[in-house]
Amino acid sequence: MSRSSESETVILERFREELFSEGILHSGDTIGSDDGTLKRFLRARKFSIKDAKRMFIEAQDWRKQVNLDELYSKTDPFDYPEREAVFGCWPMWFHKLGRPLNFQSLGGLDLERLGREGVTPERHWETVLVNAECLTREIIPAAIKKHGRDADSVFVIVDLKGFGLAKFWQMKHLAQRCFQISQDYYPETMGKLAIINAPSTFTLIWNVIRPWLAKETANKVDILGSDYQEKLLELVDAENLPSILGGNCRCEEEGSLSEVARCHLSASGPWLEGRIGWGPHAKPGSNSESTVSDKPESDTSGALDDGISRLTSYAIDSDSNSVAGAGIEERVPKLPDTGNLEIEMKPQ
């Protein structure tokens, strides 16, 4: 039986009251006390107050363990010294849309090169965390303010062009941790996930990834081959879709025409309107109506993983299924080309 809006409102208010009365949530906590944040935790636990409360407690404990607020105050997700190097080795960025667009190019993943450019695994993980945190602290609130409640989740596009089994084994643990923090600490923030340029070996990769995902998350996934443009343009206006994905956007400055599109570095969207950051390129006091101050605060945040200190390297998985080095694909049976394969997600 479906819940009425009235019953959900009653559950929401009771959830909020219990969080505050039991000392789980306090005024000013950056995880957020707004309706949108609390509803995300409730939806993730099918509006069970008991289960949602447990999830919220774990999120609060975790963000304390990683000192998330301190990390965010020191690393502006849109302006930090290593940003161009990080995006060059693992493009992972937000882009304008009604519903925010998050694009990740795993085919461009090169963690060894990132290390050669002076970005340690610990520092890279910190940038992953602040990138995740800015989704609920800045991206979604700004999108909702401009476009309404339809923009309260993100559309994720993962490009697997050039991504094979060798790269997957290299980043398997890192990918698993990213899925974990998204599901456990930023619940219900992903509205849709499209995987494009899926290679013929993706069925094997998907068999590894699938168990990491909650059933509700897996049901939001579309797996496509190389002929994806028409499908994406059904979901995203051409003017908002980056040109590298078949759209018209290049994120060029007005009056200029660059040879290379700058969407991956522009972070274009309503979250940058009037924003004064705190990174090396910040201009304090340049806009009195800024949405973010030198000391970022928000009531729409999430929480992060089980300690940055635990990630000492991007070591390739040491279990019996993990194989390093070139030639791995030769030792794995080739599967038929997936084409525009949409894998049916059946409840388990």
Side-chain angles (χ1 to χ4, degrees):
M1 184 172 67
S2 62
R3 291 177 303 273
S4 66
S5 298
E6 183 178 1
S7 67
E8 290 189 1
T9 300
V10 172
I11 294 172
L12 172 63
E13 291 310 312
R14 182 182 162 197
F15 182 46
R16 191 198 315 276
E17 180 181 341
E18 292 188 15
L19 289 176
F20 276 103
S21 65
E22 296 176 23
I24 300 169
L25 180 62
H26 309 87
S27 179
D29 282 358
T30 52
I31 191 172
S33 61
D34 59 288
D35 288 358
T37 296
L38 301 189
K39 282 183 178 179
R40 287 194 289 104
F41 281 86
L42 285 169
R43 286 199 304 268
R45 293 298 179 260
K46 298 178 171 59
F47 277 78
S48 165
I49 291 179
K50 179 181 178 182
D51 294 343
K53 193 188 304 181
R54 184 183 303 116
M55 187 183 202
F56 205 92
I57 291 171
E58 291 172 354
Q60 285 282 58
D61 289 344
W62 177 66
R63 68 187 295 115
K64 291 175 183 175
Q65 292 171 10
V66 298
N67 296 316
L68 177 60
D69 289 336
E70 180 180 356
L71 173 61
Y72 204 81
S73 71
K74 292 180 178 179
T75 305
D76 183 335
F78 302 106
D79 181 17
Y80 55 89
E82 308 91 347
R83 188 167 182 260
E84 191 157 355
V86 167
F87 280 29
C89 298
W90 185 1
M92 183 172 59
W93 37 277
F94 292 104
H95 196 257
K96 60 187 179 180
L97 190 59
R99 169 189 285 177
L101 174 67
N102 177 236
F103 178 72
Q104 302 193 31
S105 175
L106 296 188
L109 184 73
D110 191 344
L111 298 178
E112 291 185 1
R113 184 180 125 207
L114 193 61
R116 291 195 300 270
E117 296 194 13
V119 182
T120 65
E122 293 86 356
R123 178 54 180 162
H124 181 219
W125 184 243
E126 289 179 348
T127 68
V128 171
L129 299 188
V130 297
N131 189 70
E133 172 70 358
C134 78
L135 174 61
T136 52
R137 192 182 287 228
E138 300 191 51
I139 302 288
I140 288 178
I144 291 175
K145 184 177 180 181
K146 189 174 184 83
H147 300 289
R149 277 289 158 192
D150 289 341
D152 65 353
S153 62
V154 65
F155 177 28
V156 182
I157 299 175
V158 177
D159 186 1
L160 295 183
K161 185 177 182 180
F163 186 76
L165 287 171
K167 284 189 176 182
F168 174 67
W169 293 126
Q170 289 178 23
M171 57 89 66
K172 174 186 170 187
H173 283 312
L174 183 61
Q176 187 173 13
R177 297 182 78 194
C178 289
F179 278 121
Q180 180 204 346
I181 66 170
S182 177
Q183 294 185 139
D184 293 352
Y185 309 122
Y186 300 92
E188 298 294 308
T189 54
M190 187 186 76
K192 187 74 174 175
L193 169 62
I195 298 175
I196 64 174
N197 289 315
S200 60
T201 54
F202 183 73
T203 302
L204 292 176
I205 296 173
W206 179 249
N207 287 337
V208 176
I209 294 175
R210 176 65 189 273
W212 304 345
L213 306 179
K215 180 179 68 176
E216 294 79 9
T217 301
N219 287 336
K220 299 175 182 177
V221 179
D222 278 340
I223 300 175
L224 310 175
S226 58
D227 187 18
Y228 58 83
Q229 286 91 347
E230 184 177 349
K231 178 70 173 178
L232 289 186
L233 287 170
E234 291 177 4
L235 302 168
V236 184
D237 291 338
E239 64 181 17
N240 288 324
L241 188 66
S243 59
I244 58 172
L245 300 176
N248 299 330
C249 184
R250 296 175 56 85
C251 284
E252 294 166 326
E253 295 182 4
E254 187 174 351
S256 67
L257 182 63
S258 59
E259 294 183 3
V260 180
R262 302 287 292 174
C263 295
H264 68 298
L265 291 174
S266 74
S268 177
W271 42 89
L272 292 187
E273 294 176 5
R275 183 184 191 272
I276 297 178
W278 54 100
H281 300 100
K283 299 177 181 179
S286 62
N287 190 329
S288 60
E289 297 179 357
S290 63
T291 56
V292 179
S293 63
D294 296 341
K295 200 171 183 180
E297 295 180 357
S298 172
D299 69 350
T300 50
S301 292
L304 297 158
D305 198 69
D306 58 349
I308 293 169
S309 60
R310 290 192 180 185
L311 185 67
T312 56
S313 70
Y314 295 119
I316 296 177
D317 191 48
S318 60
D319 62 35
S320 59
N321 293 325
S322 302
V323 186
I328 181 173
E329 296 187 45
E330 297 175 2
R331 298 191 291 274
V332 178
K334 292 290 184 181
L335 299 178
D337 188 76
T338 57
N340 275 356
L341 174 64
E342 292 197 20
I343 295 180
E344 181 181 2
M345 310 299 178
K346 295 183 179 180
Q348 295 181 340

